[in-house]
Amino acid sequence: MVRQLDFNAMQAVFTRFRETEAEPKGELDHTNAFTLLVAVALSAQATDKGVNRATRELFPIADTPQKMLALGEEGLTEHIRTIGLYRNKAKNVIRLSQRLIDEYGGEVPSSRAALMTLPGVGRKTANVVLNMWFRMPAQAVDTHIFRVGNRSGICPGRDEAAVERAIEDNVPAEFQSHAHHWLILHGRYICVARKPKCAICPIRDWCLFEDKTG
């Protein structure tokens, strides 16, 4: 049986999140829509900290599709070789840079469908860009959000698509814009996989997790 927080509990949970951090921010360094898109694409199966280390010297010299193409695949590879799957990611970044120039005038589109036509860009990456740069209430579900959603009863679902729908359907509208960041940060630092830090959890009173620690 799927356990789902009721409306009053959801209101309380997200009010508490907002009280804890009113304007949650993503942790990938970027300077514009293009560098955000590249950073998110690079972050698949990698940590944000690892991506930030790799892009610290990359983005100052390649912050547009044109500059990325000028750097070239081999040049890009040298910057990101500390990131998992770096060769395939380098190919995709060069290809998406070319696609942006050829089809979108060098600009990152603000459409999920358009973003998902770019090499290496799936729904999750597209939703992050839509949420963080274009301020749309798009919900990018990763392993952290999937865990928090099911463990707490905030947005349960059998797969990432179901959890995304649960957020869209059940999180009150006033919290939709920041829901993705609140949930991912909660999963990254409090509701961790092996030993959740329930003793310091700000939403402990409403969470449906039966094996609370502390």
Side-chain angles (χ1 to χ4, degrees):
M1 179 179 179
V2 176
R3 299 179 307 154
Q4 167 76 55
L5 295 182
D6 62 26
F7 177 82
N8 289 334
M10 292 286 279
Q11 189 78 30
V13 162
F14 282 93
T15 297
R16 181 62 56 83
F17 279 146
R18 185 169 60 188
E19 291 170 348
T20 302
E21 187 169 7
E23 294 289 332
K25 304 295 184 184
E27 297 183 323
L28 285 171
D29 294 339
H30 61 282
T31 58
N32 56 26
F34 176 70
T35 55
L36 174 61
L37 174 63
V38 171
V40 179
L42 294 177
S43 70
Q45 300 184 42
T47 66
D48 287 0
K49 290 182 179 179
V51 172
N52 289 341
R53 283 194 297 269
T55 59
R56 190 171 296 130
E57 296 182 2
L58 171 65
F59 287 159
I61 62 173
D63 61 352
T64 67
Q66 294 84 353
K67 292 178 182 178
M68 191 65 76
L69 287 179
L71 180 63
E73 186 176 325
E74 288 304 314
L76 173 57
T77 298
E78 288 303 309
H79 282 278
I80 67 170
R81 62 172 56 253
T82 57
I83 300 174
L85 306 175
Y86 68 92
R87 290 194 182 279
N88 190 55
K89 290 177 180 179
K91 290 179 181 179
N92 282 334
V93 169
I94 294 300
R95 290 170 59 211
L96 75 81
S97 297
Q98 188 67 62
R99 183 79 61 84
L100 288 174
I101 293 171
D102 292 344
E103 298 187 18
Y104 301 102
E107 300 294 325
V108 175
S110 58
S111 156
R112 181 187 288 117
L115 285 167
M116 290 178 64
T117 67
L118 301 174
V121 177
R123 186 179 182 89
K124 187 190 305 180
T125 296
N127 281 351
V128 173
V129 173
L130 293 174
N131 183 280
M132 290 183 62
W133 190 260
F134 295 105
R135 304 304 183 203
M136 297 182 185
Q139 310 301 336
V141 177
D142 67 355
T143 55
H144 295 299
I145 296 178
F146 184 82
R147 179 177 64 255
V148 171
N150 281 286
R151 184 182 275 173
S152 67
I154 293 173
C155 46
R158 292 184 177 181
D159 52 33
E160 292 181 354
V163 171
E164 180 181 337
R165 288 193 299 272
I167 297 173
E168 294 173 344
D169 292 344
N170 300 312
V171 174
E174 64 183 296
F175 303 113
Q176 285 278 336
S177 293
H178 291 316
H180 157 253
H181 280 124
W182 280 319
L183 291 170
I184 193 172
L185 293 173
H186 188 65
R188 186 172 289 168
Y189 297 110
I190 302 294
C191 195
V192 295
R194 294 188 177 181
K195 294 183 179 179
K197 303 174 184 178
C198 300
I200 61 171
C201 176
I203 64 166
R204 179 187 177 109
D205 291 345
W206 303 282
C207 174
L208 299 180
F209 185 47
E210 295 178 352
D211 299 321
K212 291 186 176 71
T213 63

